[in-house]
Amino acid sequence: MSIQTPEETRAGADATSSAAPAATAASAPAPAADRVGHVEQHGTEHIPATERHGRPSSLFWVWMSANVGYLYFVVGGVLMLLGLPLWEALAITVVGNLWWALVGWLAVSGPASGSPSVAIMRAFFGIRGNKVFGAGLGVLIGLFYEVINVAFATLGAIALLGHFGIALPAGGEWVVLAVIGVLSFVIGVYGHATILALAPWFSAALAVVFVVLAVFVFGAADWAYAAEPLPVADHWALVMLGFAIVASSPLSWGIGADYARYLPADVSKKAVAWYTALGGFVPALLIGALGVVAGTAIDMTDPELTIGEIVPVWFTPLFLGMIVLSSITNNVLVAYSTGFYAQALAERISRPATTIVTGVAATAAAGWVLFLSPSFLDALSASLELSVTVFGPLVSIYAIDIVLRRNRYRGADLDDTRKGSPFWYRGGWFLPGVVAMVGAMTIAVLSANTTLYVGPISSALGGADLSALMGPVLGAGIYAILWLTTDPYRDPAKRPGAASAAMIEADAAASARTEGADA
């Protein structure tokens, strides 16, 4: 692996800073490769300093629009279907969504490198290892959530048509599915600038509907709701299961760099992290809590139908329209990043093309889940319960790598996938990342307790599901130990970011000048 000297590292940083100071780039027009209403030209390659633009505050609206969503309402209802007491379900909703802080931390790697998350993952898995544990798993994760969103939107659209008395002919539901599929992926194909432009409008429209819904839900809520008492061991097993379900949503967003990579390299890291985290945390918490409270008044097994018990007739189509729109807006971000993951697997195919291909696959899979599988809700719950065993280790390894490297990633090095490149390591694999991922994921699976599977560790602990804790903690811990004790980083001088005291002081001074300066 080629190692830069401190002087070379500083020179590169100075060049980046001089080419794109935050104050200038924030007000500069978007580059030709990233314009609203035009298909974005960039893919997994890093964004040059001359094309950086924007403000960290834009990240809040991007994440807000993607997470003012129906899925969180359903997840809140699932907690009540598990039989949890009201106040415990609300507490789990808060604690489980604290993982959004980790998502915010991941986003700071975007401005540092100018690269999407799947390219940054080459640093901790290796060029070849990333095709399995970064890009490979990323495609599966992306498809999983694309299927969920397309399914929710299709169900909402069919119910909306039924509300207005429009009967579908035989096979008509497949036509609805196809239309939803197109709407779900077209914005993701256009890319970054179009997503940023539409995000505030989507956020505002959806927020209004949820505020009105909250009025009706709180008016009908049974605040004296009491769940059936359970033995202590069974009760705590349900608590941990609920935590795993809630945590699966923020832990699935290991893609923060994708939307921050156009920002200038010297923007405030604190602002990038906070705007990203709050954009996801606020809607996830409030809408999840709304689903919990709704579960005291209606059966949350099928909210599209039972919501009519607590809202007036005129609001029902608005609620169904919200399901459709929020599922589509969530899919915008998911589809965009899934396109990156797929492009990292097939580098000669463009990002718009990979976004279309994965979108078609997800739409077809959603049709099977909706119209051919026995129970969509059961499949959803089981999938969310198990998905955290993969998401947790992945994002925690990513997060600790940022710490270990002091967030110093060179986009040009990340783009180089040739043998002998800086992140080729040994045979294209980086042992610490691979071992940490496999080890933590294995323990997380063995610690899971789902409706379809109970791991031996969970059984030994009386059914407690510790996967949402064990996976992230072990992933970060194993990776850090191996990173610090194996080649090439066993020698502190060879670790990325190794710098003299003067360099460290200079970096600290620069950070002090930019922290809090979100334009």
Side-chain angles (χ1 to χ4, degrees), residues 87-373:
W87 300 109
E88 281 191 4
L90 290 172
I92 291 169
T93 302
V94 174
V95 175
N97 279 305
L98 291 177
W99 283 114
W100 279 105
L102 191 62
V103 179
W105 175 244
L106 300 186
V108 304
S109 62
S113 63
S115 303
S117 291
V118 70
I120 297 171
M121 291 177 185
R122 291 167 180 155
F124 43 92
F125 290 130
I127 302 301
R128 287 177 172 170
N130 185 53
K131 289 185 179 294
V132 177
F133 298 103
L137 286 177
V139 169
L140 294 178
I141 292 169
L143 287 173
F144 168 67
Y145 274 95
E146 286 180 3
V147 169
I148 290 175
N149 286 321
V150 171
F152 276 145
T154 301
L155 288 174
I158 292 173
L160 185 61
L161 292 173
H163 178 81
F164 289 112
I166 301 174
L168 292 173
E173 67 274 12
W174 291 93
V175 176
V176 174
L177 173 71
V179 172
I180 291 296
V182 171
L183 295 175
S184 292
F185 300 107
V186 64
I187 298 174
V189 171
Y190 276 92
H192 178 266
T194 303
I195 292 173
L196 261 64
L198 294 177
W201 300 99
F202 287 147
S203 300
L206 292 169
V208 168
V209 177
F210 271 110
V211 168
V212 176
L213 175 62
V215 173
F216 298 126
V217 168
F218 282 105
D222 178 7
W223 298 104
Y225 174 86
E228 291 291 330
L230 294 170
V232 174
D234 292 344
H235 173 77
W236 281 106
L238 288 177
V239 168
M240 295 307 300
L241 175 58
F243 173 75
I245 292 174
V246 174
S248 67
S249 292
L251 286 176
S252 69
W253 290 104
I255 52 176
D258 296 6
Y259 312 99
R261 75 193 201 284
Y262 273 96
L263 295 175
D266 58 347
V267 295
S268 166
K269 293 190 292 293
K270 183 183 295 184
V272 170
W274 271 105
Y275 279 121
T276 298
L278 288 176
F281 176 79
V282 171
L285 172 63
L286 296 180
I287 297 172
L290 191 63
V292 169
V293 175
T296 67
I298 61 174
D299 180 3
M300 289 294 287
T301 302
D302 194 356
E304 295 97 328
L305 298 178
T306 56
I307 197 69
E309 300 174 13
I310 59 174
V311 302
V313 175
W314 64 264
F315 184 76
T316 300
L318 293 178
F319 177 78
L320 296 174
M322 174 273 297
I323 294 176
V324 176
L325 181 59
S326 66
S327 299
I328 290 174
T329 57
N330 187 274
N331 239 8
V332 168
L333 265 66
V334 177
Y336 183 62
S337 292
T338 304
F340 282 131
Y341 282 124
Q343 190 187 20
L345 289 176
E347 296 177 8
R348 295 184 179 181
I349 303 177
S350 68
R351 181 205 58 81
T354 57
T355 302
I356 293 172
V357 170
T358 53
V360 171
T363 302
W368 180 84
V369 169
L370 281 176
F371 308 131
L372 302 177
S373 65

